[in-house]
Amino acid sequence: MMQIAPNKVAEIIILAREGDRGEAELDAFVQRLSEEEQAELVALFWIGRGSFEAEEWDDAVQTAIESASAPTEDYLKGSPHLADHLEAGLEALGIDSSVVEDDLYRAG
């Protein structure tokens, strides 16, 4: 199902919560993701905000690929609720985002 590692999503959540302080790092992190990972990140965001259901994962990823017209990092930063939507997307897919984020904090 999901190819992007949950710890990568958690890193983006953490950077998004930092606001302006983490913006350059967020941009660089998202830019280093593969095209597939970026599409999945957008799909996860959409699931988290309720545009797609978790069962529509493949459709959400395909739509993200087909509709990409701006850099992924710019598109995602356009939402003031980016971190919340990504967390909700992970939860919808059965991944406890707080556990993944806590693991990153402990490792960092």
Side-chain angles (χ1 to χ4, degrees), residues 28-108:
F29 192 90
V30 172
Q31 290 166 4
R32 286 191 304 269
L33 297 175
S34 70
E35 287 183 33
E36 179 72 16
E37 288 174 316
Q38 289 185 28
E40 288 189 355
L41 187 63
V42 171
L44 192 61
F45 170 78
W46 286 342
I47 289 170
R49 76 173 186 195
S51 299
F52 286 87
E53 297 297 322
E55 299 79 27
E56 299 174 301
W57 174 255
D58 292 335
D59 291 336
V61 172
Q62 189 60 39
T63 301
I65 291 168
E66 292 171 357
S67 64
S69 60
T72 303
E73 63 277 8
D74 291 342
Y75 172 73
L76 293 173
K77 288 187 313 187
S79 170
H81 305 290
L82 172 59
D84 296 332
H85 291 321
L86 290 176
E87 285 179 340
L90 286 173
E91 297 289 334
L93 294 176
I95 299 167
D96 187 340
S97 65
S98 64
V99 170
V100 179
E101 289 175 56
D102 288 345
D103 288 346
L104 276 179
Y105 280 120
R106 280 193 290 272

